[in-house]
Amino acid sequence: MTKNHHKRRGQKITQVQLRELGSKLVARHRNFYVYVIFGFLAAVINIVCFLLFHNAWKIPVIYANTIAFIISNLASFSFNKHGVFIQNVDKKHGVVYQLCLFFIYRIISLIPDNLIMLVGISWLHWNSFFVIDQILVGIFNYLTTKSIFLNTSNKFAKKFKDHFNKR
């Protein structure tokens, strides 16, 4: 909120003030909003691939989910690198480093992803469970992806960078 948000009771906020506040909010959280749009697109790619592999081609759940995971995450990496995180980006590391770290984080998220899919679809027979799965995995992925592309630091990325630079 702005410094002037402490108004006296009964005093109305004007449309100009409301627009200004809205503009600041959108600008502040731009990466998240764009990530949600591209994340939705990546989730659609994941779901379509999974349905194609599992339902049409009769590939078992774990394999179908893993193949869909790889395809959608390659698309997601491209979306994030070129469309989402375009300001305050990490220019010190190359594409190979970012792709490796991106997939390490995504593989970490694949474990609960596969467990959720296995329990939800195979055991409970809730065929629409992959929507819940995509939301939970998406939240984790946003937080980790943000740390890859932006000039921020975290312990895991620093350890990975040190290991990667030794080679």
Side-chain angles (χ1 to χ4, degrees), residues 88-152:
N88 191 29
V89 295
D90 178 6
K91 294 180 181 176
K92 291 182 273 182
H93 302 102
V95 174
V96 173
Y97 167 83
Q98 290 176 336
L99 185 64
C100 289
L101 192 56
F102 183 83
F103 267 92
I104 286 172
Y105 282 139
R106 295 298 168 102
I107 288 168
I108 291 169
S109 76
L110 181 62
I111 296 166
D113 182 13
N114 275 332
L115 287 173
I116 291 168
M117 294 294 281
L118 186 66
V119 170
I121 292 176
S122 295
W123 297 348
L124 299 175
H125 304 289
W126 295 344
N127 289 330
S128 61
F129 208 71
F130 54 75
V131 174
I132 295 167
D133 169 67
Q134 290 299 305
I135 292 169
L136 295 174
V137 171
I139 292 168
F140 174 80
N141 287 342
Y142 172 72
L143 297 173
T144 57
T145 302
K146 183 178 166 182
S147 72
I148 295 169
F149 293 107
L150 296 181
N151 269 335
T152 60

Side-chain angles (χ1 to χ4, degrees), residues 16-44:
V16 172
Q17 290 172 320
L18 191 58
R19 282 193 188 122
E20 181 183 316
L21 197 61
S23 294
K24 288 179 182 180
L25 185 65
V26 168
R28 183 175 182 183
H29 299 291
R30 178 227 171 259
N31 286 350
F32 178 74
Y33 300 136
V34 176
Y35 181 87
V36 168
I37 293 166
F38 281 117
F40 176 76
L41 184 57
V44 168

